[in-house]
Amino acid sequence: MNTLRLLLGSIVMMYSAAVSGQGAKNIVISEVQTDNSTGIVDEFGQRHAWIELANTSFSTYNVRGMYVTTCRDVLNKTMSAPERIKLMSKIPNGEDKTNLGARKHLLLYCNSNPSQGKLHLTVDVNKDETLWIAVYNGNAVDLIDSVTVPVLNTDESYARVDDGWQTRTADCGTPGF
């Protein structure tokens, strides 16, 4: 009987570990473009700075309600969640693309207005300064991923490649890959 309990307990623990491994921590920032002059256009034909998120897991994950920020003040551990939220832009509900499939990518427009579309965020991106970008869980406290982006030339992007980050020229950008 004890052997059966031990076996069942082990199975439950392995299953729990596998399920928890397919959560928010599998959402990463995969590419950033801070000065989009000739590249990707939004649904209104306008060009904005953009951030691409990737789901590295083998299951679908809903990124709705997660937050994106470029304000390092949120790193202050004494700051309350409501104070942090004021410094962040929420990935909105109501867009099917935010239900991010396994191994899929999502492009979010920055320096924009959410009234322009559900994938438009108010995140401030200054193309002339080094930029820190972070993604936080829906509680606005748990940091999921962050990257510091160097100043990029027009139409260059900063992309996660295997074991690090690389600057990509306009003709070598990889959004969606």
Side-chain angles (χ1 to χ4, degrees):
M1 187 66 162
N2 284 339
T3 305
L4 181 59
R5 285 184 187 164
L6 182 60
L7 178 63
L8 287 174
S10 297
I11 291 171
V12 168
M13 286 178 54
M14 287 189 310
Y15 177 76
S16 297
V19 170
S20 67
Q22 299 291 313
K25 291 291 183 179
N26 290 303
I27 303 301
V28 297
I29 300 167
S30 58
E31 192 167 5
V32 177
Q33 188 172 68
T34 57
D35 187 5
N36 179 10
S37 178
T38 63
I40 296 171
V41 295
D42 68 7
E43 56 270 41
F44 296 100
Q46 297 178 345
R47 291 180 173 86
H48 300 274
W50 50 262
I51 299 168
E52 181 186 53
L53 301 181
N55 179 357
T56 62
S57 75
F58 291 99
S59 63
T60 299
Y61 190 81
N62 186 344
V63 297
R64 294 174 194 140
M66 292 175 84
Y67 292 91
V68 178
T69 188
T70 56
C71 181
R72 284 184 175 269
D73 292 345
V74 300
L75 294 171
N76 180 346
K77 299 279 187 200
T78 63
M79 187 178 282
S80 70
E83 290 172 317
R84 288 170 191 263
I85 288 170
K86 291 177 185 175
L87 303 173
M88 299 178 171
S89 187
K90 187 175 188 177
I91 299 173
N93 290 321
E95 171 56 59
D96 290 339
K97 292 178 185 175
T98 59
N99 200 27
L100 200 49
R103 317 298 272 175
K104 298 293 182 184
H105 299 82
L106 174 68
L107 201 68
L108 299 168
Y109 298 102
C110 305
N111 293 341
S112 189
N113 186 332
S115 67
Q116 288 186 285
K118 294 177 181 159
L119 299 178
H120 291 254
L121 303 177
T122 58
V123 173
D124 290 326
V125 172
N126 183 340
K127 65 181 181 172
D128 298 319
E129 296 178 0
T130 298
L131 178 71
W132 177 76
I133 299 174
V135 176
Y136 277 79
N137 209 344
N139 63 12
V141 174
D142 296 330
L143 177 64
I144 302 303
D145 192 26
S146 68
V147 63
T148 300
V149 180
V151 175
L152 300 170
N153 292 322
T154 301
D155 293 326
E156 284 184 336
S157 65
Y158 198 57
R160 186 182 297 260
V161 179
D162 297 326
D163 58 351
W165 288 83
Q166 288 182 356
T167 300
R168 300 283 183 126
T169 58
D171 58 333
C172 294
T174 61
F177 296 98

